[in-house]
């Protein structure tokens, strides 16, 4: 038995939070009866209707995509540009990206049809760590990197503490490669953090997401996540650590 809002999110109806709103608003029926209790548990055998439409319970699937630059990370693009979903022509389930990567950012993006899992991976309260490799224009000063570490003021507020490591510095080209680990996921956050210290990002790659890395994949390639990896990511979200 699973909680009703979890089953709804997994079926792709809406995020778990929006599913809760739909339940409380009296828009959900289980076996013909309107249910407004958030604690309600349902099984695969129960017939669930949302605003009069029966939901289809799909098997949950999970992929890791190494997104190349120049690809949109939404399910569909109104301008008809290639999206992350276009890398999965053979997948019939309605998968979508977990969170976003900018058009010009490469690296790990998880694709799934499991809304509950997507919520666990993206809500800042679960603090899933994401590591980026940023090539900067200009060489950040040590004290500026400390600011990034401690938290820096952006137009939408202070950032949470980050882990920052200089990988290399090219004095001649006035550029640096910096590794930065954050657990928030604000829009263009890493780019804005480097803008705030006067060293804009030239290129950005998400190298690690929780326990996942791009190891073994080239840009544009994907692989299914193992059951173990999915479980580990859930444990990471729920407890903050693995093992
Ligand atoms: N931060 C950014 O600035 N861009 C991304 O795509 C991800 C994190």
């Amino acid at each position: 038995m699973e909680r009703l809002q979890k089953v709804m999110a997994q079926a792709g109806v809406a995020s778990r939070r929006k599913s809760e709103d739909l339940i409380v608003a009296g828009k959900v029926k289980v076996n013909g009866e309107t249910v407004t209790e958030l604690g309600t548990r349902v099984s695969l055998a129960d017939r669930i209707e949302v605003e009069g439409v029966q939901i289809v319970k799909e098997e949950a699937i999970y992929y890791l995509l190494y997104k190349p630059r120049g690809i949109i990370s939404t399910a569909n693009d109104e301008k008809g540009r290639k999206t992350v979903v276009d890398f999965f022509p053979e997948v019939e389930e309605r998968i979508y990206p977990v969170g976003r990567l900018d058009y010009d950012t490469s690296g790990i993006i998880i694709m799934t049809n499991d809304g509950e899992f997507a919520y666990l991976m993206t809500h800042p309260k679960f603090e899933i760590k994401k590591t980026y490799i940023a090539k900067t224009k200009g060489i950040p000063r040590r004290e500026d990197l400390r600011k990034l570490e401690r938290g820096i003021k952006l137009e939408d507020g202070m950032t949470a503490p980050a882990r920052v490591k200089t990988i290399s510095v090219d004095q001649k080209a006035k550029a640096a490669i910096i590794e930065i680990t954050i657990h928030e996921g604000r829009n263009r956050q890493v780019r804005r953090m480097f803008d705030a210290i006067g060293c804009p990002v030239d290129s950005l790659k998400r190298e690690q997401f929780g326990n996942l890395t791009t190891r073994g994949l080239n840009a544009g390639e994907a692989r299914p996540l193992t059951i173990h990896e999915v479980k580990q990511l859930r444990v990471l979200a729920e407890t903050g650590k693995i093992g």
Side-chain angles (χ1 to χ4, degrees), residues 12-240:
V13 172
S15 69
R16 192 176 58 167
R17 250 185 316 175
K18 292 218 179 88
S19 297
E20 288 176 352
D21 293 345
L22 288 166
I23 296 169
V24 172
K27 300 205 166 149
V28 183
K29 283 186 181 169
V30 177
N31 302 325
E33 301 265 334
T34 302
V35 170
T36 52
E37 276 285 318
L38 290 180
T40 305
R41 289 186 176 264
V42 291
S43 76
L44 276 179
D46 289 315
R47 188 165 53 84
I48 301 161
E49 286 166 74
V50 179
E51 297 177 315
V53 179
Q54 189 173 346
I55 70 169
V56 182
K57 293 172 227 154
E58 282 183 343
E59 189 192 337
I61 55 170
Y62 311 86
Y63 289 92
L64 186 163
L65 170 67
Y66 181 170
K67 178 183 117 44
R69 296 174 63 174
I71 301 290
I72 301 280
S73 64
T74 51
N76 36 53
D77 179 46
E78 72 280 3
K79 292 189 197 143
R81 289 172 293 183
K82 189 165 177 172
T83 78
V84 285
V85 177
D86 294 328
F87 288 86
F88 300 87
E90 73 294 350
V91 172
E92 283 172 4
E93 289 85 351
R94 241 171 0 121
I95 56 172
Y96 48 84
V98 171
R100 297 270 163 93
L101 280 182
D102 300 332
Y103 182 77
D104 278 330
T105 302
S106 64
I108 295 186
I109 192 149
I110 298 175
M111 305 288 296
T112 187
N113 58 349
D114 181 346
E116 164 80 6
F117 178 80
Y119 171 76
L120 280 178
M121 294 304 110
T122 50
H123 196 290
K125 78 176 176 194
F126 299 114
E127 300 198 357
I128 295 284
K129 292 194 178 71
K130 286 143 291 203
T131 299
Y132 297 86
I133 304 292
K135 181 169 177 212
T136 59
K137 291 183 197 150
I139 300 169
R141 295 175 307 172
R142 190 183 289 262
E143 61 262 37
D144 287 332
L145 294 178
R146 297 284 305 145
K147 281 188 203 157
L148 296 184
E149 266 173 353
R150 281 197 294 263
I152 193 160
K153 194 155 179 269
L154 301 180
E155 66 205 22
D156 51 359
M158 291 294 286
T159 59
R163 215 187 57 214
V164 180
K165 192 169 135 193
T166 301
I167 305 289
S168 64
V169 166
D170 185 338
Q171 296 286 357
K172 222 155 125 204
K174 292 196 172 43
I177 310 274
I178 312 285
E179 182 187 281
I180 178 163
T181 303
I182 60 172
H183 65 253
E184 301 170 288
R186 301 192 217 165
N187 189 31
R188 299 180 73 80
Q189 181 167 342
V190 174
R191 291 176 193 273
R192 289 191 291 132
M193 288 170 81
F194 281 98
D195 283 345
I197 59 164
C199 291
V201 164
D202 193 21
S203 69
L204 190 63
K205 177 185 175 193
R206 182 152 72 191
E207 183 107 310
Q208 188 153 359
F209 185 109
N211 53 328
L212 306 176
T213 70
T214 53
R215 205 170 305 131
L217 294 178
N218 294 313
E221 290 180 344
R223 67 168 176 85
L225 292 186
T226 65
I227 295 171
H228 186 64
E229 285 171 327
V230 174
K231 279 200 181 143
Q232 278 188 322
L233 283 165
R234 284 186 190 281
V235 171
L236 258 185
E238 281 154 9
T239 70

